[in-house]
Amino acid sequence: EEIQSDKKEIVGLVKMKTPLGDLQLLLIAKNKKTTSKDEIKSAIQRSIHSKMPCLFLLKKEPTRSIMAFLEENKNLIKLGIL
C-alpha cells in the first residue's frame, strides 16, 4: 500500500508472510545515490511513530558510519540495496 510518493522517495506498507506469522513493515525507498544519517534517523522516527519496523531501500551501499548506525538500530530498521 503506497502512502507517499515523489521523484526521490516512496513510502508504503509491505505485508510479508513469515513462519512467525504475517509481518507488516514500513517501506522507505530512496532513489538517490547517497543517503545521510539524518535520513536514516528520520526513517527510524517514522518507524517508531507507526509502531512497525522499517525496510529502507537504497540504490548504493551507504558509508561505513551509516552502516555502523544501522547496525546499532538493527531491531528497528533493515537495509536493502537495489
Side-chain angles (χ1 to χ4, degrees), residues 1-14 25-31 39 42-43 46-47 49-50 55-56:
E1 174 184 336
E2 189 174 307
I3 297 174
Q4 175 188 349
S5 175
D6 61 31
K7 290 182 179 180
K8 297 284 185 183
E9 178 182 70
I10 295 175
V11 179
L13 297 177
V14 178
L25 300 168
L26 176 67
L27 169 72
I28 300 176
K30 297 277 189 178
N31 187 17
E39 288 175 314
S42 173
R46 287 172 102 165
S47 170
H49 179 73
S50 34
L55 177 60
F56 196 81

Side-chain angles (χ1 to χ4, degrees), residues 57-70:
L57 299 179
L58 294 173
K59 291 176 75 173
K60 187 178 172 187
E61 185 92 15
T63 63
R64 285 188 204 138
S65 64
I66 290 176
M67 288 299 286
F69 183 72
L70 287 167

